[in-house]
Amino acid sequence: MTDVKDWNKAGGEKTEAMLLAPDKPRGIVVYEVCSACHLLEGWGLKDGTFPQLAGQHRSVLVKQLTDIRAKNRDNPTMYPFALDEQIMAVSGYHEGEINPAQLVADVTDYISKLPMNPDNGKGPWNELFPEFAQGKKLYADNCTQCHGENGEGIEDKFYPKIHGQHYNYMLRQFEWIRDGKRRNANPDMVKQIKGFSDKDMQMVINYVSRQKVPAKDLAPSKDYQNPDYD
């Protein structure tokens, strides 16, 4: 794995986008293209092909999108939608009319305010299984400092919210981070989880996938449809 220095150093498009005032109508327009994979509700897919984005901290969305745009996070699926020429095209603006960082600010703010899926993909073991308890201990011993007691993350430190995320997506990302396949991973996390076995990984992600999301952050039902695209 390439050593990622200054993992979250201030500067560049990330900081620029964080400081810009977002525009919701533009965010709606830009996100419609994203919805081809992440769905209009921002819920992704339970099979883990695409993550839930709805309700994620804006800081995390900005960092991950700008990392992809800078090709510091390998995501060929998103390149056709996220790079300058593409993001400008979907916005309806032309070069010189708007800064791409503004579009990043617009779309990430919009996504961060979408209600989350009340029925995310979960791991195989519920509270009655010993694997659930073992996952809970692994989480408490290794993950709470960054991701919080309930998987809520820390917005001002760019630590993602992981409760409510799909089990299969988290499992894949955890494995890639552990095995050095995700170039923009936080080096502290790489060190923290390097000794996890595959079973450890499955148990801790199972536990996280079953943590309750606060009701205020959830859509009213799994049949909810985003009213911005009626």
Side-chain angles (χ1 to χ4, degrees), residues 114-183:
L114 291 173
M116 296 173 69
N117 186 351
D119 186 31
N120 66 295
K122 298 176 178 63
W125 303 297
N126 63 29
E127 293 86 345
L128 301 178
F129 287 80
E131 287 87 351
F132 181 88
Q134 291 176 60
K136 181 178 181 179
K137 185 177 189 310
L138 285 166
Y139 185 83
D141 292 346
N142 294 277
C143 310
T144 56
Q145 185 173 352
C146 294
H147 292 292
E149 296 291 333
N150 189 46
E152 67 273 17
I154 305 176
E155 183 164 15
D156 62 0
K157 292 188 176 181
F158 296 78
Y159 297 155
K161 181 183 295 187
I162 54 177
H163 62 203
Q165 188 56 268
H166 303 304
Y167 170 81
N168 286 322
Y169 176 77
M170 288 192 288
L171 195 64
R172 184 172 74 253
Q173 295 302 313
F174 192 107
E175 182 177 12
W176 285 358
I177 292 169
R178 183 196 65 178
D179 297 349
K181 296 179 181 178
R182 181 164 155 175
R183 289 191 298 117

Side-chain angles (χ1 to χ4, degrees), residues 60-97:
V60 173
L61 295 168
V62 169
K63 173 169 171 52
Q64 295 305 316
L65 181 53
T66 55
D67 276 356
I68 289 168
R69 284 173 44 75
K71 296 189 176 180
N72 187 40
R73 176 174 174 180
D74 301 314
N75 196 323
T77 303
M78 278 194 63
Y79 294 157
F81 306 98
L83 301 184
D84 276 356
E85 182 178 343
Q86 290 77 17
I87 199 170
M88 291 296 293
V90 302
S91 73
Y93 289 87
H94 302 288
E95 188 175 353
E97 292 182 319

